[in-house]
Amino acid sequence: YENFDILYNNLEKNNFKMNEIHSFYYFDIGRWDIVLKNKKMIKFPKKNYLDLLPKINLMLDDSNFNKYKIFDFRIKDQLILK
């Protein structure tokens, strides 16, 4: 998938911990979910996810976010934590 290559390269450029990724899920509407080895899921928006990558990295390293399993960024300017 061309889309996968783009996502993967963008994750690497933003120092995302690639060895922590368990799986990738692509949706026909043009967006991705990533499941990490620790069972956390990141739901990316269809557009403009590049700006989120540094923030996501910080949140995944922040112990205040340990209790959350789902990081849902699909709605513009909102983060839903579950």
Side-chain angles (χ1 to χ4, degrees):
Y1 280 115
E2 177 184 331
N3 290 337
F4 178 76
D5 290 339
I6 293 169
L7 173 69
Y8 194 89
N9 289 333
N10 285 330
L11 291 171
E12 282 190 321
K13 286 178 192 173
N14 283 277
N15 298 318
F16 199 87
K17 295 177 184 170
M18 303 305 286
N19 61 332
E20 297 293 321
I21 297 174
H22 178 266
S23 53
F24 294 88
Y25 295 95
Y26 180 74
F27 297 89
D28 288 336
I29 63 166
R31 64 165 214 84
W32 291 90
D33 284 357
I34 293 177
V35 178
L36 303 176
K37 290 178 181 174
N38 62 7
K39 307 288 190 237
K40 293 184 186 287
M41 178 181 281
I42 302 165
K43 295 176 173 275
F44 286 96
K46 184 177 176 182
K47 298 179 181 177
N48 302 324
Y49 67 88
L50 289 177
D51 295 339
L52 299 172
L53 292 176
K55 296 172 191 172
I56 292 170
N57 281 336
L58 289 173
M59 286 192 306
L60 292 175
D61 288 339
D62 187 334
S63 62
N64 292 317
F65 291 94
N66 282 349
K67 64 183 174 182
Y68 301 108
K69 293 290 183 192
I70 298 176
F71 297 77
D72 188 341
F73 293 92
R74 293 176 294 173
I75 300 172
K76 183 176 170 61
D77 298 326
Q78 289 188 28
L79 168 61
I80 298 169
L81 298 168
K82 294 180 185 175

